[in-house]
Amino acid sequence: MTSSREAPSCRETEIHTLHAALLESETRYRLVMEAISDGIWDWDVRTDRVHYSPAYTRMLGFEPEEFCGNLAEWLDRIHPEDREKALRENRRCIDNEVSRFSLEFRMRTKSGEWKWILGRGMAVTRDASGKALRMIGTHTDITPIKEGERREALQKWIAALLSTMTRLDERLQLILAGILETVHTECGGIYLLEEDKRGLRLVQHHGLSEAFAQVVRTYDAHSPNLRLVMAGNPLYTSYDALPVDKTEEDKREGLKARAVIPIHHEGRVVGCLNVASRSLPAVPEGVRTFLETVGVLLGNAFGGIQARQALEESTRQYAVLFDPASDALLVVRVSDRRIVDVNRAASTLLGDAQGELLGAVWDAVIDASKEKDFVDRCREQLLERDVRLVEAYLRTRSGNTVPVEISARPLEVKGETLLFMLARNISERLRAQEEKERLQERLRHLQKMESIGRLAGGLAHDFNNLLSPILGYADMLSRCLTHSSPLKKQADAIGTAALKAKDLVDQLLAFSRGHEAAFHIFDLPDKIRKFQDTLAATLPLHIDFRLTLPSKPLWIKADPGQIERLLLNLTANAQEAMPDGGTLSILVEQRTFLHENDIPAADLKPGTYAVMTVATPARA
């Protein structure tokens, strides 16, 4: 039997096991705290004591023993502009308004710089009222993300500024200062290649001493600096390692890190962006893509400025002929079909300012709504040297179209093919042509009506010859018959019908002679009422006739014969409009118009008018 002194009790064994498990758990916790990159904090709210993981202190450039472990040192390191926001979010979690929080703020490092931190936290224990007693959380360094966002925003800002530059001005100084601040360097400069490509010229600098700026203001054709830039590749190195000649002034400037970014436009070097630092040993890799992107933006802007300046110089040489010309003149670059110059007449014709047209694709001003492939065909024809004129429609700013006659001539200017186009507005010519065609059509119509009139006159004379014996015999027959005779009524009807036929013949004769209008004052409804039987007689059986007249007289001043001819023409048109039959309706009424817009006819003033409306059934 073993004594209790020789064998540990079950209670001691349990305590030993628990103690070993606790040590193992603490060891794992410590290893995890040391291994992860995020900083971990553990805050006892009652005592304001805070435990920080090693990663937390290293994130800010400190050793763990340099932290005291209280809340005050955390608050002291937060940026003043972010401190109130950070306290507010922590307080909301402590007071159980939220179960956890997440916010971004800046913290000062040991070197005095600022880092962006993403802080997350939550309460792990609370008292009976819900107030937090202990909180834990993490800190993540998001400075690279913020720097990337800042560089992206600066790129957009630079692009916006450069897009409005037509000359090198003070905006370039703002852009250079923004670049240097973003990449955390102190000085730099922007160079442009001279037009003859035999030298570099400093057009803007920032952070350089004036004495040093004078030394590096130009580099001639034999300078190694020019050869370095013309190689066309970005170079990141220390200033001492640059393969260029250095002067005593260079050494006094104290430059260390250096970046040389050639600026390209359309595949050729047009300048360079230089960035240098007196404190950094090398330009950080994280900003190099940003610098090269900015170089592309500068290249596009400088290339545009140089092209515009060259074009302006060329334009001045022919300005006497170009700008005052009455026809629209456009200079188009063949390679990308963009407009590089226009005159005032083109601006007036298209309704756009001259500056708005520069850089636009000239195809866009051609109206191709009628033919799908018209723009391509028009462009091909203009490039053919044997084609002189192309007719097209240009679309204006207001959306209207203008007919033009375009002539074009290709020109070679500094190695580029330009198309010098003259667009002449032919609206007046087309209107004159349309008027000529309209007059010719009217002449043909008059000639046709003249022929019809001669035919109608001949028929009327022949018909009168036939009516004469009918009227004579009808009158003789009527005289011979007594009133009691049953044939008296029929004889009178023959005479009446013949008289109506004679009236119709007289109208045909008047039509054939084309008499000048003889205006008289007469009652329009009464005139139409008397002419009603004649109108009805001209209509076929499958067309009904409905006449609506006012009960009171409606006096007008007109040629009665023309009114009759008008009604005859309307009935003739009605027959053509109603091949399947229907009802021809004529309504005569008196109407008063108070406004010109209400009058259904042009060039009439407000007042009281006689209105005759002729209607036929609508076609399906």
Side-chain angles (χ1 to χ4, degrees):
M1 186 174 185
T2 307
S3 66
S4 59
R5 294 181 61 86
E6 295 177 355
S9 66
C10 293
R11 178 64 175 170
E12 290 175 341
T13 301
E14 183 180 355
I15 292 173
H16 179 74
T17 303
L18 290 173
H19 182 68
L22 180 61
L23 289 176
E24 183 179 356
S25 177
E26 289 179 347
T27 300
R28 284 200 301 269
Y29 176 72
R30 178 173 51 80
L31 291 174
V32 170
M33 293 272 282
E34 292 176 354
I36 62 176
S37 58
D38 286 355
I40 299 176
W41 51 269
D42 188 340
W43 177 21
D44 188 332
V45 180
R46 293 167 297 183
T47 63
D48 266 350
R49 297 296 298 171
V50 186
H51 174 71
Y52 301 102
S53 70
Y56 185 106
T57 59
R58 288 194 298 269
M59 188 183 300
L60 300 175
F62 293 93
E63 294 298 328
E65 58 271 15
E66 293 182 84
F67 269 57
C68 301
N70 57 53
L71 185 65
E73 62 185 350
W74 173 72
L75 285 173
D76 182 60
R77 292 189 176 94
I78 294 181
H79 195 285
E81 295 178 2
D82 303 334
R83 193 172 295 153
E84 182 61 31
K85 177 179 65 175
L87 274 174
R88 182 173 62 251
E89 290 302 312
N90 276 273
R91 178 57 58 188
R92 292 180 66 219
C93 188
I94 292 173
D95 294 340
N96 208 14
E97 294 180 22
V98 294
S99 60
R100 62 186 66 231
F101 65 89
S102 174
L103 74 155
E104 297 176 0
F105 52 89
R106 288 162 289 181
M107 291 192 73
R108 187 177 63 252
T109 66
K110 187 176 181 178
S111 63
E113 297 177 350
W114 295 100
K115 278 193 173 184
W116 275 99
I117 303 296
L118 172 61
R120 299 186 180 93
M122 62 179 292
V124 292
T125 58
R126 298 182 182 274
D127 60 16
S129 66
K131 192 177 185 67
L133 300 176
R134 182 184 174 197
M135 297 177 63
I136 63 171
T138 61
H139 278 188
T140 304
D141 182 3
I142 59 171
T143 303
I145 298 174
K146 285 291 185 179
E147 290 291 335
E149 292 175 353
R150 184 182 180 188
R151 288 194 292 270
E152 183 178 354
L154 184 66
Q155 284 179 20
K156 294 179 180 178
W157 175 73
I158 290 173
L161 282 182
L162 291 174
S163 66
T164 60
M165 285 184 64
T166 57
R167 294 286 188 278
L168 299 179
D169 54 31
E170 64 277 0
R171 280 172 287 188
L172 203 57
Q173 173 68 22
L174 292 174
I175 290 170
L176 181 58
I179 293 170
L180 298 178
E181 182 183 355
T182 301
V183 301
H184 306 295
T185 54
E186 300 91 344
C187 50
I190 297 175
Y191 286 85
L192 277 183
L193 192 66
E194 298 289 356
E195 289 187 10
D196 58 4
K197 300 181 181 180
R198 297 182 63 81
L200 283 172
R201 174 172 55 91
L202 183 66
V203 295
Q204 195 58 259
H205 68 89
H206 182 86
L208 300 175
S209 66
E210 195 56 39
F212 182 70
Q214 288 296 331
V215 173
V216 299
R217 190 164 297 278
T218 59
Y219 292 110
D220 60 27
H222 305 290
S223 169
N225 300 71
L226 179 61
R227 290 196 296 271
L228 182 67
V229 172
M230 294 303 292
N233 299 314
L235 179 64
Y236 303 95
T237 183
S238 66
Y239 191 79
D240 293 337
L242 269 177
V244 296
D245 298 332
K246 301 179 183 64
T247 65
E248 288 298 322
E249 196 63 46
D250 296 336
K251 297 175 183 178
R252 282 195 292 270
E253 196 67 15
L255 301 179
K256 294 181 180 179
R258 180 73 177 270
V260 180
I261 313 297
I263 297 173
H264 297 83
H265 177 68
E266 296 181 347
R268 55 189 177 87
V269 175
V270 297
C272 71
L273 167 65
N274 286 0
V275 170
S277 174
R278 297 185 180 90
S279 57
L280 297 176
V283 174
E285 290 190 9
V287 303
R288 296 181 181 182
T289 300
F290 166 75
L291 288 173
E292 292 168 22
T293 301
V294 171
V296 173
L297 296 176
L298 290 171
N300 291 336
F302 292 163
I305 290 173
Q306 288 181 347
R308 189 174 292 111
Q309 289 174 342
L311 185 60
E312 287 174 355
E313 180 62 28
S314 176
T315 302
R316 279 192 289 270
Q317 297 176 9
Y318 61 83
V320 175
L321 297 175
F322 184 80
D323 210 44
S326 59
D327 291 323
L329 301 179
L330 302 92
V331 181
V332 175
R333 189 166 48 229
V334 173
S335 60
D336 57 5
R337 308 192 309 281
R338 295 192 178 276
I339 299 172
V340 295
D341 203 2
V342 294
N343 67 344
R344 285 195 300 267
S347 173
T348 303
L349 180 67
L350 298 173
D352 287 305
Q354 288 174 268
E356 292 176 318
L357 290 171
L358 296 178
V361 177
W362 82 273
D363 297 6
V365 303
I366 297 180
D367 178 59
S369 56
K370 296 181 180 179
E371 294 185 54
K372 186 176 180 181
D373 61 344
F374 178 78
V375 173
D376 293 333
R377 185 162 52 81
C378 181
R379 182 169 61 248
E380 292 172 0
Q381 289 178 348
L382 290 174
L383 287 173
E384 294 177 4
R385 295 179 183 271
D386 57 335
V387 175
R388 296 298 180 186
L389 297 175
V390 172
E391 288 192 4
Y393 282 85
L394 299 186
R395 185 172 296 279
T396 66
R397 186 187 187 96
S398 62
N400 298 324
T401 56
V402 180
V404 293
E405 188 177 68
I406 303 175
S407 59
R409 179 183 178 186
L411 299 172
E412 294 294 327
V413 179
K414 294 187 177 180
E416 281 191 317
T417 302
L418 301 178
L419 202 59
F420 186 87
M421 295 192 299
L422 184 148
R424 175 165 295 169
N425 189 342
I426 57 174
S427 300
E428 291 299 328
R429 185 204 299 174
L430 293 180
R431 274 194 290 268
Q433 184 176 344
E434 290 174 359
E435 179 65 16
K436 180 181 177 181
E437 292 175 355
R438 187 182 68 81
L439 291 174
Q440 289 176 340
E441 179 62 29
R442 185 176 179 183
L443 177 60
R444 286 193 292 271
H445 177 71
L446 289 175
Q447 291 171 341
K448 181 176 68 174
M449 294 303 294
E450 183 181 359
S451 300
I452 294 174
R454 285 197 298 269
L455 176 63
L459 289 173
H461 283 294
D462 292 342
F463 200 55
N464 262 337
N465 293 333
L466 295 173
L467 284 174
S468 295
I470 295 174
L471 284 168
Y473 286 124
D475 183 60
M476 291 172 60
L477 183 62
S478 177
R479 290 176 184 273
C480 295
L481 296 173
T482 63
H483 290 285
S484 60
S485 173
L487 299 176
K488 173 70 173 177
K489 185 176 181 182
Q490 285 85 347
D492 291 341
I494 293 171
T496 301
L499 287 173
K500 288 183 179 180
K502 186 177 185 304
D503 289 339
L504 182 59
V505 169
D506 291 341
Q507 291 174 20
L508 286 172
L509 284 171
F511 170 76
S512 66
R513 295 180 188 128
H515 292 315
E516 293 291 330
F519 289 95
H520 303 286
I521 296 176
F522 61 92
D523 180 11
L524 178 62
D526 182 63
K527 178 66 177 176
I528 297 176
R529 193 178 293 111
K530 293 178 178 178
F531 199 62
Q532 178 179 356
D533 292 342
T534 301
L535 286 176
T538 62
L539 293 173
L541 295 176
H542 66 282
I543 295 179
D544 296 327
F545 180 60
R546 180 184 301 162
L547 180 63
T548 304
L549 301 174
S551 58
K552 296 180 180 181
L554 186 55
W555 300 97
I556 66 170
K557 185 177 182 180
D559 183 344
Q562 287 187 352
I563 294 295
E564 292 176 351
R565 285 193 292 276
L566 172 65
L567 290 170
L568 285 172
N569 287 333
L570 289 173
T571 56
N573 291 338
Q575 295 182 50
E576 295 180 5
M578 297 185 290
D580 300 326
T583 300
L584 170 66
S585 300
I586 297 180
L587 168 66
V588 178
E589 59 183 336
Q590 178 178 296
R591 292 179 61 183
T592 299
F593 300 100
L594 300 179
H595 303 286
E596 290 185 4
N597 294 336
D598 299 332
I599 304 176
D603 301 325
L604 293 180
K605 296 181 179 180
T608 301
Y609 292 89
V611 179
M612 182 167 62
T613 305
V614 180
T616 59
R619 290 190 178 184

